[in-house]
């Protein structure tokens, strides 16, 4: 078993570690089919070998070539560390700076087998959300971090550590870019080749920026989404007896079962991969499992009648489940579902993100690698059936939304009936959950703010939970608008429920939705608690990139931007640069996170609180910008709630000066000007 000291000493070369190959007993990424030419295969091999000195290249060349042809990518399994991969307490890392140790803590959490979807392929979640492209990059990054001083910055090019470069103490210690491919070449086909060559990678949102906190983040997001869906579509605060049907129990989607239990409804979640379903059941996130559609229907009827809280995992394809619900409706007249969505990794539909209903799980995996064209045809046929069943149910009092996984976008590309007459290209028959449910929340500056206690001590997390709850309760007592109060109350409820439901997987982390004031106040309170010794070690602040200003994503985060700029990515890039200028410990910019390669640009950050006055100053400045950037952009797109928030922020902060847009009040002015 390696030690952390050995892990930071550079690539293990003399002797080379034993090649143990792929581990048994852990999930592995689907085989990739990049269709490289012989010259491209040679280039991929050359790119992998350049990490190693000439005396070991002959041996490694053979096994790397075998990996490339067998799995479609060179992961370098020989160099997968023989260590328990987890978020060790920050004081155990052999580093010269606390910032570097905090980054190591976060990296190892992303690769913890309890957290990561495919740990040996360095995939954290989403089917292809890489932390690194190969294991050599991991070893080199850990070595660089152990050497880093407060006057150096580590630069990461799509998983590749370029090196430590001189900078200032106020600069970020780490700058990450992932997938920054020239737009004309940012296609799925090109991606598969470029990833196989080892020159770019898909970092998802928080995988390649080292900020994933396990499925807790999406549990929280799903809790808020389902709560607000109940308010909007059903007119209800209490969802007892209401049924939410969805699919996916993997790295992110596994959160849906727990979210259903927390909001008090009946959740039925389909999953084709038995290993994922069993994992969630063992964790206690799924109350019951079945592979029988008949049993599903019986339990649904029982739970509806008793208003029972239930999370039921169906081992099977969700299309079969939707079609069975249609059958029940057409034969008995009984609608057994109220709310529905989908959380498969549909941004990656032809490489394991979506499994077609016509095949078993193992059959699909085989066809995916041996005949990609036939597999794609079946996926698109399955998507058409999927949508057809949802359309039938939606003729009744059933409400479906797109959860931002590119489900409707891929269904449209497959020829499914998802068109909305007279709509722009970001709108479909069913709304994105941002358009109907979360959009107004983002426009008020609320978004997924999170923190990680690097001591690894649950008591530190309990202290931060108390501080966050107290901050929000004080804000309510001081007086806030009704819409803001509602969000604060939802998140106070969440913090209390999170502690009860044991949502920590991996690092001692917490998430809540808060606005600019709340984020700054919570950060300051945590920093002061570190200074006074109430919290024993630094705390890392971060957020999901799925936020008010971190992401330009026309089919998700910015799908409610109607001024024509939904496909522009200025906001995310400005967010990345602005956070770097204002004190972030590290920053990240990604292509493709969440909804697929070429569909989105994400900007993210990590900020280490260490109890110093400098950390507090950075938190005040950086967190304010991180929110205000997006609120101001939404203000200019015509959102009245964002306009109201930015006006209020300008009054409270003399350093903020924004020229506000004027409303075009008279439509006749436009019509007359455009008259032939």
């Amino acid at each position: 078993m390696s030690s952390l000291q050995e892990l930071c000493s550079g690539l293990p070369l003399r002797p080379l570690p034993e090649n143990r190959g792929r581990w048994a007993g852990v999930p592995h990424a689907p085989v990739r089919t990049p269709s490289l030419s012989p010259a491209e295969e040679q280039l991929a091999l050359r790119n992998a070998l350049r990490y190693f000195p000439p005396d070991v290249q002959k041996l490694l060349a053979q096994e790397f070539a075998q990996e490339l042809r067998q799995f479609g990518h060179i992961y370098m399994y020989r160099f997968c560390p023989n260590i328990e991969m987890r978020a060790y307490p920050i004081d155990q890392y052999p580093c010269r700076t606390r910032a570097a140790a905090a980054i190591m803590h976060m990296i190892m959490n992303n690769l913890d087998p309890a957290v990561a979807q495919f740990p040996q392929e360095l995939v954290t979640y989403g089917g292809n959300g890489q932390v690194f492209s190969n294991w050599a990059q991991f070893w080199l990054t850990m070595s660089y971090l152990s050497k880093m001083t407060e006057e150096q910055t580590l630069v990461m090019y799509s998983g590749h550590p370029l090196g430590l470069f001189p900078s200032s103490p106020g600069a970020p210690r780490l700058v990450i870019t992932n997938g920054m491919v020239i737009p004309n070449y940012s296609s799925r086909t090109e991606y598969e080749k470029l990833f196989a060559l080892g020159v770019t990678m898909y970092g998802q949102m928080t995988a390649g920026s080292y900020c994933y906190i396990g499925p807790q983040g999406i549990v929280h997001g799903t809790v808020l989404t389902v709560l607000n869906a109940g308010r909007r579509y059903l007119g209800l605060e209490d969802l007892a007896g209401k049924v939410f049907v969805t699919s996916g129990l993997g790295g992110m989607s596994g959160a849906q079962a727990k979210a259903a239990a927390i909001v008090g409804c009946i959740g039925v979640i389909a999953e084709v991969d038995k290993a994922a379903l069993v994992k969630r059941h063992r964790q206690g996130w799924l109350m019951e499992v079945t592979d029988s559609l008949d049993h599903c229907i019986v339990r649904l009827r029982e739970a509806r009648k008793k208003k029972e809280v239930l999370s039921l995992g169906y081992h099977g394809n969700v299309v079969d489940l939707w079609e069975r619900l249609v059958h029940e409706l057409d034969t008995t007249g009984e609608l057994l579902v109220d709310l529905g969505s989908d959380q498969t990794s549909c941004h990656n539909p032809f490489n394991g993100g979506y499994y077609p209903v016509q095949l078993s799980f193992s059959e699909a995996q085989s066809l995916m690698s041996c005949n990609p064209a036939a597999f794609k045809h079946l996926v698109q046929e399955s998507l058409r059936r999927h949508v057809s069943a949802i359309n039938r149910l939606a003729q009744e009092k059933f409400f479906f939304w797109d959860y931002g996984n590119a489900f409707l976008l891929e269904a449209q590309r497959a020829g499914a009936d998802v068109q909305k007459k007279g709509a722009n290209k970001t709108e479909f028959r069913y709304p994105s959950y941002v358009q109907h449910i979360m959009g107004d929340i983002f426009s008020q500056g609320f978004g997924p703010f999170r923190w990680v206690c690097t001591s690894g001590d649950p008591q530190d997390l309990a202290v931060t939970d108390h501080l966050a709850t107290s901050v929000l309760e004080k804000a309510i007592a001081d007086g806030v608008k009704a819409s803001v109060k509602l969000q604060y109350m939802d998140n106070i409820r969440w913090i209390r429920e999170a502690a009860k439901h044991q949502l920590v997987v991996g690092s001692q982390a917490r998430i809540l939705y808060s606005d600019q004031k709340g984020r700054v106040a919570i950060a300051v309170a945590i920093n002061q608690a570190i200074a006074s010794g109430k919290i024993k070690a630094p705390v890392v602040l971060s957020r999901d990139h799925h936020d008010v200003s971190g992401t330009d994503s026309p089919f998700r985060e910015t799908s409610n931007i109607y001024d024509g700029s939904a496909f522009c990515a200025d906001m995310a890039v400005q967010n990345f640069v602005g956070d770097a200028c204002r004190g972030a410990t590290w920053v990240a910019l990604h292509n493709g996170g969440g909804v697929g390669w070429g569909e989105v640009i994400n900007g993210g950050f990590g900020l280490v609180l260490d109890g110093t006055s400098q950390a507090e100053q950075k938190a005040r400045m950086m967190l304010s910008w991180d929110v205000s950037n997006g609120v101001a952009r939404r203000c200019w797109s015509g959102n009245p709630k964002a306009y109201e928030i930015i006006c209020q922020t300008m009054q409270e902060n003399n350093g903020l000066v924004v020229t506000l847009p004027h409303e075009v009040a008279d439509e006749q002015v436009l019509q007359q000007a455009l008259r032939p």
Side-chain angles (χ1 to χ4, degrees), residues 179-187 190-191 194 200 591 597-598 601:
M180 291 291 107
V181 173
I182 303 300
N184 273 356
Y185 304 91
S186 191
S187 67
E190 290 290 343
Y191 168 72
L194 292 170
T200 197
N591 169 13
W597 188 257
I601 299 293

Side-chain angles (χ1 to χ4, degrees), residues 92-331:
Q92 294 185 23
Y93 297 99
C95 294
R96 300 171 71 180
T97 73
R98 300 285 261 179
I103 295 166
M104 284 188 182
H105 181 92
M106 302 294 281
I107 288 172
M108 293 190 72
N109 183 67
N110 268 26
L111 293 169
D112 182 339
V115 173
Q117 186 179 14
F118 305 127
Q120 225 187 344
E121 288 76 41
L122 301 112
V123 172
T124 300
Y125 65 90
N128 58 350
Q130 303 286 149
V131 185
F132 300 99
S133 179
N134 59 56
W135 283 106
Q137 294 174 349
F138 168 83
W139 284 91
L140 290 173
T141 299
M142 296 296 276
S143 176
Y144 281 133
L145 288 170
S146 70
K147 297 180 176 111
M148 177 191 286
T149 72
E150 293 286 0
E151 295 185 339
Q152 290 175 315
T153 293
L154 175 59
V155 177
M156 301 293 299
Y157 276 23
S158 292
H160 169 68
L162 197 65
L164 291 170
F165 293 84
S167 63
S168 68
R173 299 279 68 81
L174 173 66
V175 176
I176 303 166
T177 52
N178 283 313
M180 291 291 107
V181 173
I182 303 300
N184 273 356
Y185 304 91
S186 191
S187 67
R188 281 185 182 144
T189 304
E190 290 290 343
Y191 168 72
E192 290 298 334
K193 286 194 174 186
L194 292 170
F195 180 62
L197 291 175
V199 295
T200 197
M201 74 176 201
Y202 187 85
Q204 270 284 358
M205 289 186 168
T206 52
S209 59
Y210 321 145
C211 290
Y212 190 56
I213 60 167
Q216 179 186 167
I218 193 63
V219 174
H220 175 249
T222 307
V223 164
L224 293 187
T225 301
V226 176
L227 277 177
N228 284 288
R231 289 165 180 156
R232 180 179 180 102
Y233 299 129
L234 306 177
L236 297 173
E237 288 287 339
D238 182 0
L239 293 177
K242 299 301 178 184
V243 176
F244 173 51
V245 170
T246 182
S247 55
L249 285 166
M252 292 284 279
S253 55
Q256 298 182 107
K258 180 60 77 173
I262 290 173
V263 301
C265 70
I266 301 157
V268 184
I269 306 96
E271 173 57 64
V272 293
D273 183 355
K274 188 173 182 179
L277 183 120
V278 168
K279 178 179 180 179
R280 297 305 176 201
H281 191 227
R282 284 177 178 165
Q283 284 178 333
W285 289 39
L286 269 175
M287 296 177 185
E288 299 176 17
V289 296
T290 182
D291 59 5
S292 165
L293 278 174
D294 289 340
H295 183 70
C296 260
I297 298 304
V298 168
R299 284 297 288 126
L300 262 183
R301 286 197 166 103
E302 288 175 352
R304 278 165 60 88
K305 185 176 180 180
K306 297 176 183 176
K307 294 192 174 182
E308 180 182 352
V309 176
L310 174 67
S311 57
L312 174 63
Y314 166 59
H315 180 216
N317 197 291
V318 73
V319 178
D320 285 327
L321 177 57
W322 285 121
E323 290 179 343
R324 178 60 182 270
L325 290 167
V326 169
H327 173 76
E328 294 298 320
L329 174 63
D330 289 342
T331 56

